[in-house]
Amino acid sequence: MPVVSLSPIRAISGRLAVPGDKSISHRYVLLGALASGRTTMRHLAPGADVRASLGCIAALGATVLRSPDGIVRVDGWGDTGPTPPAGPLDCLNSGTTMRLLAGLLAGFPISATLIGDASLSSRPMRRIMDPLQAMGARVAADDGRAPVTVTGGRLRAITWTPAAASAQIKSAILLAGLQADGRTTVVEPAATRDHTERAFPVFGLSCVVDDVRVSVDGGQRATSPAGILDVPGDPSTAAVWAALAASLPGSQVELTGVALNPRRLGFVAALRRMGATVTLTDTQVLGGEPVGTISVAYGNCADTVIAPDEVPGLIDELPVLAACAAHGRRLEVRGAGELRVKESDRISALVAGLRALGVTAHEYPDGFVVDGRAGRPGGGHADAVHDHRLVMAFAVVALGSTGPASINSADAIAVSYPGFWNDLITLRVPTA
Ligand code: S3P
């Protein structure tokens, strides 16, 4: 259970190209497996989550070739379809792998069992089982938790309104819809990240988007894109440095090559309301995604409330926004009950860790409040409960604390951002 000890720093400063986006990487890898031809990808997300997706598609008959220069090539199964795997498919800690893969496999006449680690095995899967069963797939899991066994076959199109605003549910249904008879439609309760919809045309697939209604016709064939597919930088990773810069007076960072997808940028609006100066520049389009630079400078502290309708646009950034609030602001979040079914119960584990570091924080059933107005946290020992986003959030608290701090199960950071500690060394301005 590796523990990381951190001493306070003065500020962060400099320029950083953040690693590739995890959500987009999963989609390119899974669509690359489905496609006929070779998909060549650069700058895939570096962590264990995307490795899980690559491992699963390899076990299903796609060929995965990695070069030392970081380029990953996938030869998809194309018209032959996936081959029955020799054993269970290990999705490790990755909910995106498990849910999207279940949808991808639902239309093929093979059986596969999807397994995961203790965290993933406790997360709700009925949310994808119900629509996939309604389409005609057989999907079995005890108590709606992994292991999940998918036995695919001929699918009928459905129109589905998920109970939760979740891009994973939407994407599982759309991927299954590619093999269904007719037009499958998802009507989202609130707009979620649209990386699947943006990735489809890159692989020669079409879908129709009308606000929160997304439809896909069955019987389409995916083809690999020509040339190299570049994955833009991960805004959730950029958000960690943005929150740290907004926490430490004198900080100024430029985060380059970041996916500036509007459905991922809720944290930018929140940080601005909290007093930081945040600018977005150099936008270009890469593989259907807007990409550019996020510049952040510390600004005077202000309090804010995150409303329920903002939550889908910053769901993964709530822990680092809470950490930023610990340095001088009050932040209240409601309508974020989905946080309880992430890699950990991110409401109770976040609040417990913040308190352990000397921060005033309270839970609501569907959110939390952090009050950092009394002064800098004193430090202490926080448990990240094997959750990568909590490791980074507690690091943001610790680095601006008045005393030393340590974080338990800090190795979980390898799920999404194994280079975090090295990048911290590059950006930090040590105390005098
Ligand atoms: C993701 C969607 C979100 C997010 C997760 C990645 C995706 O989950 O929290 O980290 O890649 O589709 P939900 O769809 O469950 O909200």
Side-chain angles (χ1 to χ4, degrees):
M1 191 153 309
V3 175
V4 162
S5 299
L6 292 167
S7 313
I9 60 173
R10 185 142 59 95
I12 55 170
S13 173
R15 199 178 158 89
L16 186 76
V18 298
D21 183 72
K22 188 157 76 70
S23 288
I24 297 172
S25 297
H26 283 299
R27 284 148 175 90
Y28 287 175
V29 166
L30 296 179
L31 289 170
L34 182 69
S36 17
R38 172 169 288 188
T39 300
T40 304
M41 293 165 284
R42 184 160 49 198
H43 209 220
L44 275 181
D49 268 20
V50 172
R51 255 200 337 272
S53 283
L54 286 165
C56 290
I57 63 156
L60 289 160
T63 303
V64 177
L65 305 158
R66 299 156 189 270
S67 320
D69 57 5
I71 288 187
V72 176
R73 295 175 178 82
V74 169
D75 290 336
W77 57 64
D79 290 339
T80 11
T83 48
L89 300 171
D90 196 347
C91 304
L92 303 172
N93 189 243
S94 175
T96 310
T97 304
M98 186 169 282
R99 296 194 177 111
L100 270 59
L101 190 58
L104 188 71
L105 293 179
F108 293 99
I110 63 163
S111 200
T113 297
L114 280 50
I115 61 170
D117 68 6
S119 152
L120 185 52
S121 305
S122 71
R123 296 179 65 186
M125 292 298 147
R126 271 220 224 284
R127 46 182 59 197
I128 51 124
M129 294 170 66
D130 289 345
L132 297 178
Q133 285 166 345
M135 295 176 86
R138 280 196 285 141
V139 191
D142 278 349
D143 194 29
R145 328 251 152 201
V148 178
T149 299
V150 181
T151 306
R154 191 159 179 176
L155 301 181
R156 52 186 169 267
I158 54 167
T159 294
W160 196 265
T161 301
S166 159
Q168 294 182 1
I169 304 176
K170 169 177 64 179
S171 302
I173 298 169
L174 295 176
L175 289 167
L178 290 172
Q179 314 302 327
D181 292 333
R183 174 168 285 200
T184 295
T185 300
V186 181
V187 185
E188 294 203 89
T192 64
R193 63 189 70 191
D194 58 358
H195 302 304
T196 302
E197 298 91 302
R198 288 172 184 264
F200 271 9
V202 176
F203 287 83
L205 301 165
S206 65
C207 66
V208 180
V209 180
D210 177 9
D211 190 27
V212 290
R213 286 178 76 87
V214 187
S215 302
V216 67
D217 287 329
Q220 301 189 59
R221 295 173 67 221
T223 47
S224 304
I228 295 181
L229 193 48
D230 272 305
V231 179
D234 196 327
S236 300
T237 299
V240 182
W241 302 116
L244 186 56
S247 300
L248 305 176
S251 294
Q252 178 124 32
V253 284
E254 261 181 55
L255 307 156
T256 61
V258 185
L260 297 183
N261 183 316
R263 303 251 176 116
R264 297 286 298 280
L265 295 184
F267 75 94
V268 169
L271 286 176
R272 283 179 177 149
R273 298 205 302 268
M274 290 164 87
T277 304
V278 188
T279 51
L280 310 180
T281 46
D282 303 336
T283 312
Q284 49 161 326
V285 175
L286 263 189
E289 295 278 352
V291 181
T293 298
I294 303 182
S295 306
V296 188
Y298 177 84
N300 287 334
C301 296
D303 304 336
T304 196
V305 174
I306 290 175
D309 65 350
E310 289 183 85
V311 167
L314 43 62
I315 183 79
D316 292 339
E317 289 65 69
L318 287 169
V320 282
L321 291 171
C324 178
H327 300 298
R329 292 117 171 150
R330 182 180 186 279
L331 171 69
E332 183 169 336
V333 178
R334 299 307 291 256
E338 275 291 300
L339 281 181
R340 293 206 183 268
V341 291
K342 294 294 179 190
E343 286 84 328
S344 67
D345 175 342
R346 280 191 185 150
I347 294 180
S348 70
L350 174 68
V351 166
L354 289 172
R355 285 183 174 173
L357 293 169
V359 181
T360 302
H362 298 285
E363 287 188 37
Y364 299 126
D366 64 341
F368 56 83
V369 59
V370 178
D371 195 340
R373 292 174 299 181
R376 296 260 160 210
H381 181 71
D383 189 353
V385 299
H386 305 283
D387 183 334
H388 58 126
R389 303 239 181 258
L390 294 186
V391 179
M392 290 182 263
F394 296 151
V396 169
V397 177
L399 292 165
S401 296
T402 53
S406 54
I407 305 168
N408 228 21
S409 65
D411 51 330
I413 210 156
V415 159
S416 64
Y417 194 3
F420 176 79
W421 305 113
N422 282 341
D423 288 345
L424 173 61
I425 290 168
T426 309
L427 293 177
R428 82 180 158 170
V429 180
T431 45

